[in-house]
Amino acid sequence: MTNAWIRQFHPAPEADTRLVCFPHAGGSATFYFPVSQALFPQVDVLAVQYPGRQDRMNEPCVDDIHTMADRITEELLPWADRPMTLFGHSMGATIAFEVARRLEARGIVPLGLFASGRRAPSRHRDEQLHLRDDAGLISELQRLSGTDAQVLADEAILRMILPAVRNDYRAVETYRCQPGPPLNCPVNVLTADDDPLVDLADARAWAQHTVAPFRIRVFTGGHFFVSAHTESVVREITRHIDAMTVQR
């Protein structure tokens, strides 16, 4: 049942629930391979693959968060036969939030939303990194330490990934949270104590976007703290899914 939008690295047909993972700006589905591996076979992990990268390199990128969420929601509907939890990092958290809104509008309430490394949708900032030249974008990637140093040093690879990076920055920087009801699912926020993009107030503001329980956990590290704390992040996910499954 996998398609261009959905990757399933470790199919778990016997699992009771699913976890849907949304990559960061410039990122791809493979970012979540370690999470999929760690949760197998207890959770069936799906990773979203945006157009314009890896095996979708020749497809045009989507530079609007709302359009992206519309498309992904449609692709996820066939997978809604089991309860699903959504996990997004950075830009992926915003897309996951918009997908959760659309699923709930169809009567599908996720088990929960994990928003990692991203300020709340209501906390807009006027940013224009997508208008920088290539050197400026590379400098930002280096500052966030989210791209392998070998990739940043390889000009050919950089030329391939920069269009997707620029596109995604445009998408997230032009995003505006439209008025709508808060989510009915719990929201779990993961943030870091040294993230240059998200301060604690930004992270706590996610509480405004749900009428269900809200939880925040602060990790050590920078914007890509999840890569250094994979085991702890997986425990957070497992804890939440187990607790929600018992309640159902």
Side-chain angles (χ1 to χ4, degrees):
M1 197 163 57
T2 55
N3 55 42
W5 288 85
I6 306 297
R7 297 291 177 273
Q8 198 178 26
F9 301 118
H10 305 90
E14 303 303 319
D16 293 327
T17 70
R18 290 193 165 104
L19 176 73
V20 184
C21 299
F22 299 77
H24 53 279
S28 60
T30 51
F31 181 76
Y32 290 106
F33 185 92
V35 173
S36 175
Q37 189 172 43
L39 287 172
F40 176 81
Q42 288 79 18
V43 179
D44 191 33
V45 178
L46 312 178
V48 176
Q49 184 78 305
Y50 310 137
R53 62 216 72 204
Q54 291 187 333
D55 58 331
R56 304 190 71 184
M57 182 71 69
N58 294 327
E59 298 180 45
C61 294
V62 178
D63 64 359
D64 179 78
I65 295 292
H66 295 287
T67 302
M68 185 83 82
D70 288 341
R71 292 292 308 277
I72 295 170
T73 301
E74 292 298 324
E75 297 295 337
L76 285 177
L77 291 179
W79 300 90
D81 58 320
R82 301 182 219 171
M84 61 175 64
T85 302
L86 310 183
F87 185 106
H89 182 72
S90 196
M91 179 186 78
T94 303
I95 298 176
F97 166 73
E98 289 293 342
V99 169
R101 279 182 145 185
R102 286 156 174 77
L103 288 173
E104 291 197 354
R106 292 173 177 261
I108 304 168
V109 179
L111 286 183
L113 166 66
F114 277 83
S116 170
R118 182 67 184 164
R119 60 181 177 270
S122 54
R123 307 281 286 202
H124 173 69
R125 290 182 196 165
D126 186 16
E127 297 173 322
Q128 297 185 329
L129 288 169
H130 70 279
L131 297 178
R132 288 186 181 183
D133 60 14
D134 287 353
L137 278 181
I138 293 170
S139 176
E140 178 67 6
L141 294 176
Q142 292 171 331
R143 182 174 81 98
L144 298 179
S145 302
T147 304
D148 191 285
Q150 290 181 333
V151 171
L152 293 175
D154 190 314
E155 186 176 349
I157 295 179
L158 271 177
R159 280 199 299 268
M160 286 193 296
I161 70 169
L162 279 180
V165 172
R166 186 180 302 282
N167 171 89
D168 291 354
Y169 272 107
R170 182 185 302 111
V172 78
E173 290 173 354
T174 58
Y175 167 78
R176 301 293 183 273
C177 182
Q178 298 175 355
L183 297 176
N184 292 300
C185 70
V187 172
N188 296 274
V189 169
L190 309 181
T191 191
D193 59 4
D194 196 28
D195 188 338
L197 300 184
V198 186
D199 62 31
L200 196 54
D202 289 333
R204 285 177 173 158
W206 276 96
Q208 304 168 13
H209 295 281
T210 182
V211 295
F214 170 80
R215 186 171 186 267
I216 185 170
R217 177 168 176 187
V218 181
F219 290 82
T220 58
H223 187 61
F224 283 93
F225 66 93
V226 289
S227 296
H229 295 283
T230 300
E231 289 185 9
S232 295
V233 169
V234 167
R235 281 197 296 270
E236 289 289 319
I237 296 169
T238 302
R239 179 203 62 79
H240 176 79
I241 291 176
D242 288 347
M244 294 302 296
T245 302
V246 167
Q247 294 178 23
R248 293 177 70 89

